[in-house]
Amino acid sequence: MPPEPNSTSSSGVPVGDLRSRLGDNEKSRDRLQGLLDAVVAVGAGLELEGTLNRIVRIAVELVDARYGALGVVGPDEQELLTEFVYVGVDDRRLGVLIENPHPLRETQEVVPTSVLGAPIRVRGELFGNLYLTEKRGGGHFTEDDDIVLKGLAAAAGVAVENARLFEESRLRERFMEASREVNSHLLGGGSSQDALTLIARRAMELSKADCALILLSDGEVPPEEVAIRAAAGEGGAELIGFTVPAGGPPVAGMFEMRGAELIPDLSSLVPSSWRSPGPEFGPAVAVPLRAGNVVSGVLLAVRARGGARFAREYVPLLASFADQAAFALELAEKHRAQRQLDVLADRDRIAGDLHDHVIQRLFATGMSLQGTVRRIGDPGVRRRVSRAVEQLDETVREIRTSIFDLHTTGSDGADSLRRRMLDIVEELSTGAEVPQPSVRISGAVDTLVPDELAAHATAVLREAVSNAIRHSHAGSIVVTVEAGADLIIDVVDDGVGMPSGVARSGLLGVERRAAKCGGMAVVVPGPEGGTRLTWRAPLAKA
């Protein structure tokens, strides 16, 4: 049964209107039926690339043209075509169509052919232009051809919209899968640097970019500069380590929560130092790495110069992926810090047990045996007991070394405060005539003590230990460092006390450092003679 006069096809084509315009003769009915068949064929698939190819191929068959092309316009509808799908178009005709990217309504001679064009619109916005050239058998395209092509273009708009929605859903699914991959990597114990590289690689692949860069802030609030910490794609690895001001391009505004930004030409914004062996930068999209209300960096997806601009539908997906990645990084860092605190607390407990129980018992046993040596009359037995005392002293020194290792192995690096303090004590006591100082460090000094306070603390420790070693003539020196509400450095010796002729310039420096940090420093006699220096500075509350 023929369609009703005012009916509409399932693809939104006004069949009744087309029928009245085409006429009611047999040839017109055949063309209308052909159009309806074409509408069904155009909407048969969901992949966008396949849909575009079907539209061009069916249009060529429907109006009996030799050549056809579909040009997809750019995001702003003003630039030249960003995608071009064609059937049978040679270089000469292709050049003509590219130079005329706007829809053509009237028959136009393009030596020696005619051109017919119609716009394809999706939800009222121009998606692209459909072009046909050179009528088979000669002659020009007719008014009926123009009507049929417009009908096909209307159906093509619906098919394109469906294909774009399908592509968008698939793209969203791939972004979600990438987010799960990043989360699994981090929660599985993977390093943050490997996670950043993975984020850059997946962002590059999913956005169809040529390069992806991750720029992180310097930790200041607001940040002064950002540095490239991870990259993927051609030439990206050579850029790792480069920095730019946080208030300048291409990251200006990212730390003020302005959201993502499409950049037409990145090469015009970045410093000249951003030159890599790869192609020059072209279109880019910048999205903030944001966890809650805190922006820690920027994700840049970049295409080579001359490449197509990023479609706007990529922006919210890329921004969502960046937000989830930033949140996963922040959560993983908190878990890592908590694990480190747990390890440090456990090591501190073990070290305390070794020091308070094992070493003290061995030391007491050694002292008892040493007092017994004088009462032994047999020289051979006396030598054996003396060797046993020496072995006990050596065992104590080995246990103290093990205690140092408990505090410094694992994730502690050479620049950690704990390691620097131990190195200072070892450096000052090497070759000295006094026994090796006993060192006990408790609390998360590497986590709780800021860099500025750490610089004062190491200087104070060096002065205090140096004085004890050089001037006290002590039999033992005990160094205790505690990080809690305050940072406390306590150095106790059992020597001769503070000699009267010693210059107080070093101690005055210790007191000035305490005052500068809002703390205090005192020097008093030790509990068993000698000297006790205590230096205290408050730690900032988290």
Side-chain angles (χ1 to χ4, degrees), residues 355-372 389 392-393 396:
H355 182 274
D356 296 339
H357 300 292
V358 179
I359 288 181
Q360 296 298 339
R361 289 178 182 177
L362 290 175
F363 185 75
T365 303
M367 292 290 291
S368 177
L369 289 175
Q370 195 170 17
T372 307
V389 172
L392 285 174
D393 289 340
V396 169

Side-chain angles (χ1 to χ4, degrees), residues 16-36:
D17 183 58
L18 286 173
R19 182 177 178 181
S20 63
R21 294 174 64 185
L22 288 173
D24 199 23
N25 54 52
E26 184 176 353
K27 181 178 179 180
S28 297
R29 287 195 297 270
D30 291 341
R31 298 206 69 178
L32 181 58
Q33 186 60 49
L35 174 60
L36 294 177

Side-chain angles (χ1 to χ4, degrees), residues 113-137:
T113 68
S114 58
V115 176
L116 184 66
I120 296 178
R121 298 188 179 277
V122 177
R123 294 184 177 272
E125 295 183 359
L126 182 64
F127 171 80
N129 298 310
L130 183 59
Y131 305 95
L132 300 174
T133 69
E134 198 165 313
K135 183 80 168 178
R136 292 185 184 273

Side-chain angles (χ1 to χ4, degrees), residues 26-359:
E26 184 176 353
K27 181 178 179 180
S28 297
R29 287 195 297 270
D30 291 341
R31 298 206 69 178
L32 181 58
Q33 186 60 49
L35 174 60
L36 294 177
D37 294 340
V39 167
V40 175
V42 164
L46 290 176
E47 294 80 7
L48 183 58
E49 183 178 356
T51 298
L52 298 180
N53 278 282
R54 278 195 304 276
I55 291 171
V56 178
R57 188 178 65 254
I58 292 172
V60 167
E61 296 174 356
L62 193 62
V63 300
D64 206 20
R66 290 183 180 274
Y67 312 105
L70 195 160
V72 180
V73 301
D76 55 8
E77 299 187 13
Q78 300 297 321
E79 60 181 35
L80 291 179
L81 307 180
T82 60
E83 189 173 352
F84 205 76
V85 181
Y86 57 90
V87 174
V89 179
D90 58 23
D91 293 341
R92 181 172 64 90
R93 293 181 178 83
L94 185 61
V96 170
L97 294 179
I98 291 177
E99 291 172 1
N100 295 274
H102 300 289
L104 304 172
R105 300 191 58 179
E106 70 280 353
T107 299
Q108 175 179 329
E109 289 290 341
V110 183
V111 183
T113 68
S114 58
V115 176
L116 184 66
I120 296 178
R121 298 188 179 277
V122 177
R123 294 184 177 272
E125 295 183 359
L126 182 64
F127 171 80
N129 298 310
L130 183 59
Y131 305 95
L132 300 174
T133 69
E134 198 165 313
K135 183 80 168 178
R136 292 185 184 273
H140 301 299
F141 292 109
T142 65
E143 184 67 22
D144 286 352
D145 292 331
D146 184 56
I147 295 171
V148 169
L149 185 62
K150 287 185 174 66
L152 179 63
V158 177
V160 166
E161 180 183 10
N162 292 335
R164 289 174 69 176
L165 291 174
F166 178 70
E167 290 286 339
E168 185 176 340
S169 67
R170 291 177 59 184
L171 185 61
R172 185 180 293 108
E173 183 179 351
R174 290 196 292 270
F175 270 107
M176 292 177 62
E177 180 60 34
S179 297
R180 287 193 292 268
E181 185 180 2
V182 172
N183 292 343
S184 298
H185 175 84
L186 288 170
L187 296 179
S191 69
S192 296
Q193 183 59 45
D194 290 342
L196 289 172
T197 303
L198 178 62
I199 292 168
R201 186 165 61 249
R202 292 294 176 262
M204 179 192 70
E205 295 169 352
L206 294 173
S207 63
K208 299 179 181 179
D210 297 308
C211 178
L213 306 173
I214 293 181
L215 298 88
L216 298 183
S217 68
D218 53 12
E220 300 291 333
V221 180
E224 294 183 359
E225 64 180 16
V226 293
I228 300 177
R229 298 302 183 193
E234 187 176 359
E238 289 77 6
L239 295 174
I240 294 178
F242 283 99
T243 60
V244 294
V251 298
M254 290 289 151
F255 294 91
E256 300 174 4
M257 307 296 286
R258 294 185 187 176
E261 180 181 357
L262 287 168
I263 302 174
D265 184 13
L266 183 63
S267 63
S268 63
L269 301 179
V270 299
S272 58
S273 58
W274 284 33
R275 294 291 179 261
S276 67
E280 291 192 37
F281 292 143
V285 58
V287 296
L289 288 166
R290 177 172 48 199
N293 294 325
V294 179
V295 177
S296 58
V298 178
L299 172 61
L300 269 176
V302 190
R303 288 175 180 162
R305 172 167 287 185
R309 292 189 184 183
F310 286 89
R312 295 192 180 276
E313 55 262 28
Y314 280 99
V315 176
L317 296 175
L318 196 61
S320 177
F321 173 65
D323 288 346
Q324 293 181 44
F327 180 77
L329 286 168
E330 181 185 39
L331 185 62
E333 180 61 25
K334 289 182 178 179
H335 287 172
R336 188 200 64 80
Q338 184 59 51
R339 288 195 299 268
Q340 183 179 3
L341 288 174
D342 293 342
V343 170
L344 291 176
D346 197 41
R347 289 177 179 174
D348 189 58
R349 178 186 60 78
I350 296 172
D353 290 343
L354 288 174
H355 182 274
D356 296 339
H357 300 292
V358 179
I359 288 181

